[in-house]
Amino acid sequence: MTQAQVQETANIPAQAEEPGIRKWWEYFTFNTDHKVIGIQYLVSTFIFYCIGGAMADLVRTELRTPEVDFVTPEVYNSLFTLHATIMIFLWIVPAGAGFTNYVLPLMIGAKDMAFPRLNALAFWIVPPAGLMLIASLAVGDAPDAGWTSYPPLSLVTGQVGEGIWIMSVLLLGTSSILGAINFLVTLLKMRTPGLGFNQLPLFCWAAFATSALVLVSTPVLAAGLILLAFDLFAGTTFFNPTGGGDPVVYQHMFWFYSHPAVYIMILPFFGVISEVIPVHSRKPIFGYKAIAYSSLAISFLGLIVWAHHMFTSGIPGWLRMFFMITTMIIAVPTGIKIFSWMGTLWGGKLHLERPALLFAIGFVGTFVIGGISGVMLAAVPFDIHVHDTYFVVAHLHYVLFGGSVLGIYAGFYHWFPKMTGRMLNNFWGQVHFVLTIVGLNMTFLPMHKLGMLGMNRRVAQYDPKFTLLNEICTYGAYILAVSTLPFIVNVIWSWMYGPKAGNNPWKALTLEWMTTSPPAIENFDKPPVLATGPYDYGLEKAKEGVPLSDADPAVSAGPNSVLRAEPDEPYPSIAAEKGER
Amino acid sequence: MKIPSSIWTLLIGILLTLVSLWYGQNHGLLPTAASDEALLVDGLFNTMMIASTGIFLIVEGGLIYSAIKYRRRAGDDQDGPPVHGNVPLEILWTAIPAIIVLGISVYSFDVYNSIGGFSPHAVHEAPIASQAMKMPGAAIAATLTDTPPSTEPNLNQEKSDEAMQDPATAAVRNVDQIPQKQNAPGVGSVAPTIGPVPGKEGQPPALVVNVTGLQYAWLFTYPETGITTGELHVPIGREVQINMTANDVIHAFWVPEFRLKQDAIPGRQSEIRFTPNKEGSYALICAELCGPYHGAMRSQVVVEKPEVFEAWMQEQQVASNDTLNQAVAVNPAELSPAEFLAPYTHDIGIQSETLHQLHNK
C-alpha cells in the first residue's frame, strides 16, 4: 500500500454515506456548516455574475455603434457602474471567500471554521447588499459615477443611487472583513496536529495572504466611503472643492483599498491554480516555497502601489517614481508563480481532457498578458498616455477575467466532485473552455489597440474610426455570454444525475480528498493522518530507483518529507513537529 | 525534466529575439506622434513591447509545448517525475524579470525627466515641516497652533492669480462657486505635473493657454490677447504651457497624438507643457468620467505654422471685440457661464445640445 493510499484509507469517516446536507432547500437556511456556506457563496455569487455579465453585454451592445442609440447616456453610465461593482464586490471577491470557506477547513483537517456563526453572518450580508444595489435600477436612480465614484462627480449625480452604492459597498466590505478574520483564525489555530505552515497546501497560503490584505486595506475604503456619505448627505466638504475639500484625498483613500482589492481578487485563484496544476499534471508543485512566499510578497507590496492609479491626477514627480518602482517590483513575485506553474507542467502527465486543467492552463496563458500590460502601465510616461482608456479596460479584464474568472472555473471543475459527490461532464466542460477562451480574447484583445489609438473609457459614444474594433469586442462579449450556458447546464444536470465520483476521483493528496464526497458534517471523525505531503506525486516511482532531482536530499524528498510518517504511526513524529512549527 | 539540446535552445533564442525586436518596432499600435514628448514615450513603449513580446512568446510557447509534449497518453496512469524544485532555475527566473523591470524603470525615469516630469515646482512640497525644523528647540514643544504661518510662496495661488488676470478666464472659471485660490496641502504648485523640459527650467514658455474644463466642453483663453475659444490652436515647434482647472467635476485633458494627459481638478491648478512638432488637427478628449455626456466632450487641437497661427489669432481678436461691443449693455459678471458663452457658441463650435445641458445645470 502506498503512502497516499494509507493516508486516504486512514481518514475516511466511519459513516461514509452521511453527507453534510441532504435536501436542496437546506442550502437556503441559516446553516453554520462551512461547506454549506461555501456552496451558498459560490451559487449566489454565480447568479450575480450572470446579472453583471448581462449588464456587460448591454454595455457592449451600446458600443457596437459609435452613436448613443441603444440606451440613454445616463442608463449607460449606470450599467457600467453596476457591472463593475457587481463583478468586483459580488462575484470575484465573495467567490474567493466561497472556495476558501469550503476548502480551507478540509485542507487543514479542521472540523469547521473557527467562528461558524460569524461565518454565516458574513455570507448572509452579501445577498441583501447585492439585491439592494440591483434594485437601485428599479427606483430609476441607479449609481452612475463609475465604480470608483470619484467626487465631485459622485456628489452631483443622484443622491439616492450614490447612497445605495455607498451602503451596499460598505456592507460587502464588512462581510469580507468578517470572512477574513475567520479564515485567519482558522488557519492559525485549527490546523490538525503536526501540520506546519510549510506543509500547508498552497491554497491555504493564498488564503492567508488574502485575508491579511483584506484586514489592512478594507477599513480605509470604509472610512473614505463614510466621509463621502457625509459630503453627500450632511453637507460636509471633505472632498467637495466648493467648500475647500480635496477630491484627490478621496482618490488616495479609495485606491488604498481598491488596488489591494485586485490582489484580494487574484491571490485566492493563484492558490486554486497551484492546487489544480499538480493534481492534473501528476507532478509535485515546482518551487513550493517560492510560490508560498511570493503570495506574501504580493500581499505586502500590494499595499504600497495604490498611487499608480493617480499618475495623471497630479501627484509630485518623486511620488510617481516611487509608485512606479513598487508597481514594477510586483511583477517579480507574480513572474515566479507563472514560471513555477510552467515548471510543474513541464514533464508531467497532463490530463488535458479534464476542464479543470484546461482552465488552469488558460489562466496562466491569459493572465500573463494582463501581467505584461500591467508592467507597461506601471511605466509613468506610458501610463500618462493610456490612463483612463480602453488599454486599461483591456488590462484589467485580462487580469480579472483571464485571471480570476478562469481561476474560479478551474476551481469549480476541480472541487465539484468533492462538493456534490458527482462528476461533471468533460465534453461540455471542454466546450465551455473553448468558448470562454475565444470570447475572452476576442472581447478584450482589440481593446489594447483601441485605448492606445485614442478611445477613452466609460463613453457611450466614440469616434467612428473605432467602429470595427468595437464590433469585434461586442461579438466577443456575446460569445462570452453564450459560453456560460454549457457550464450552467452541465452543473445542474451533473449535480442531479452525474456519475458518482467516489471520494478521490483525481487521486489527489491534499486532505480535502481524504474524506467522503460530499464530506460529512464536521469533515473527519478524528484528526486526520498525514502520511504524505500535499504534492508528493510520483514518489512510488522514486522508490523504484528513479532519482528525484539532483539537488540535496532534503530538496529531493520534497518540502513535505517530514510529514511522511510510517503507515503504523498515526501522527507525524514529535521531532517533525518541533522542527517545523 | 527533459532539457532541449543546447543547439535547439540557441536557435529558438535567436529566433525569439529577432521576432521580438521586429514586432516591438512594427506593432502599429500607436497613433501619429505629434509632439517632441510623444517621440520619447514611443521609444519607451517600443522597448517595453520588445521585452513583452519575448516574455509572451516564451510563456505561451512553453504552455503549448507542454500541452502537446506532455499530454497523458491513453492508458498511462503513471505519475510524472517527482521534481519539487530546482534552486538555480528558480533564482534565474526571479533574476530575469527583476532585471527587466529595473531596466524599464530606469528608462521610464529618464523619459519622465526628459519630458519635464521633474519640474522645479515639485521640490516645494510641505514647507511647513521644514520650517518647524529650522526653529531651534521648538520642535518638541511646538503644537499645531505654534507653527508660524508659512512664508514660502504659495505657487498654486500665484498660478491661479496669473490665470485669473485674464478676464475671459475669470468669466468661465466660476470664481464665486469654487475658490481657485486655496491653501491646499503641500502649498507648492498643487498639481506639479509635466513641466518644462530640462534645460528650459525658469524660462517662460513661448505660449501660455489657460484651459477650463466644464461639463461638457473645453474652453481656452489666451492671456496675451484675451481671446476665448473652444478649440485649441498652437503654433508648430514652440513650447506651449497649459494651465488648467475645472469648474464642476474632474476632467482630463488628453491629446493621444501628444501622449500627454492631465486631470483638470476643480479647485486646483495644474500645468502641462509640450512642444507640438507636426502640423495637423488632433482630437482633444476628456479622459476622466465627467457625467452622461462624457463621450461627447471633445474638441480639436490645431497645430499650424506660426504665420497661420498669427492670422488665426488676429481673426479671433476682431471677432472677440465685435461681440464684446455688442454685449456692452450687460454686465458679464451677472451672467452664468452658459449665458455669457451663448454669443460665442457659433465661433467655438459648441453644439446646441451641449449648451442645453449647461443651462440645465
Side-chain angles (χ1 to χ4, degrees), chain A residues 301-318:
Chain A
L301 288 170
L303 286 169
I304 50 169
V305 301
W306 77 89
H308 68 220
H309 295 269
M310 300 164 63
F311 283 157
T312 67
S313 56
I315 54 171
W318 63 269

Side-chain angles (χ1 to χ4, degrees), chain B residues 139-163:
Chain B
I140 297 162
T143 63
L144 272 179
T145 46
D146 290 340
T147 314
S150 167
T151 51
E152 296 276 320
N154 183 336
L155 293 174
N156 188 45
Q157 187 163 336
E158 284 172 13
K159 192 114 317 196
S160 184
D161 286 342
E162 229 172 81

Side-chain angles (χ1 to χ4, degrees), chain A residues 246 282 287 312 320-321 346-352 365 372 382 384-385 387-388 452 456 538 541 548 558-559, chain B residues 1-2 29 31 45 52 60 67 70 72 76 79-82 84 93 112 254 261 263 265 268 285-288:
Chain A
D246 190 348
R282 310 307 304 165
T312 67
R320 295 190 205 195
M321 292 298 115
W346 196 271
K349 308 267 182 186
L350 311 188
H351 284 259
L352 285 178
I372 289 172
F382 180 67
I384 288 175
H385 173 52
H387 178 77
D388 263 326
M452 281 191 271
N456 45 347
K541 199 190 271 183
L548 290 170
Chain B
M1 179 183 290
K2 186 183 179 298
L29 290 171
F45 177 72
S52 301
E60 305 296 341
Y70 302 115
R72 186 186 69 102
D76 180 3
D79 284 356
H84 274 105
W93 69 43
Y112 187 60
W254 182 37
K261 187 181 289 118
D263 284 8
I265 301 170
R268 285 190 174 208
I285 299 164
C286 172
E288 182 66 58

Side-chain angles (χ1 to χ4, degrees), chain A residues 29-91:
Chain A
T29 57
F30 293 95
N31 204 310
T32 55
D33 183 353
H34 72 96
K35 298 181 289 296
V36 176
I37 294 173
I39 289 177
Q40 285 175 333
Y41 262 113
L42 290 172
V43 172
S44 56
T45 55
F46 188 81
I47 293 170
F48 284 121
Y49 171 54
C50 293
I51 297 171
M55 288 176 177
D57 274 355
L58 294 178
V59 164
R60 282 307 329 167
T61 306
E62 169 62 65
L63 289 171
R64 204 170 63 80
T65 55
E67 303 84 30
V68 199
D69 47 9
F70 180 65
V71 289
T72 65
E74 288 84 359
V75 172
Y76 176 84
N77 284 15
S78 296
L79 282 175
F80 71 68
T81 302
L82 286 175
H83 161 70
T85 312
I86 288 171
M87 289 308 193
I88 290 165
F89 293 105
L90 288 160
W91 161 234

Side-chain angles (χ1 to χ4, degrees), chain B residues 259-305:
Chain B
R259 315 279 188 273
L260 286 177
K261 187 181 289 118
Q262 172 59 45
D263 284 8
I265 301 170
R268 285 190 174 208
Q269 289 284 327
S270 28
E271 84 170 48
I272 193 166
R273 285 197 196 198
F274 57 91
T275 312
N277 64 8
K278 207 169 258 176
E279 229 176 309
S281 176
Y282 309 105
L284 163 60
I285 299 164
C286 172
E288 182 66 58
L289 175 65
C290 60
Y293 298 91
H294 169 52
M297 185 167 165
R298 311 169 69 88
S299 181
Q300 292 295 315
V301 181
V302 182
V303 180
E304 51 203 8
K305 291 199 184 74

Side-chain angles (χ1 to χ4, degrees), chain A residues 119-130:
Chain A
N119 203 17
L121 174 68
F123 167 71
W124 282 104
I125 291 177
V126 174

Side-chain angles (χ1 to χ4, degrees), chain A residues 15-33:
Chain A
Q15 288 150 329
E17 66 283 3
E18 178 103 38
I21 192 158
R22 270 159 287 178
K23 297 275 190 295
W24 63 269
W25 50 262
E26 286 183 78
Y27 285 105
F28 293 92
T29 57
F30 293 95
N31 204 310
T32 55
D33 183 353

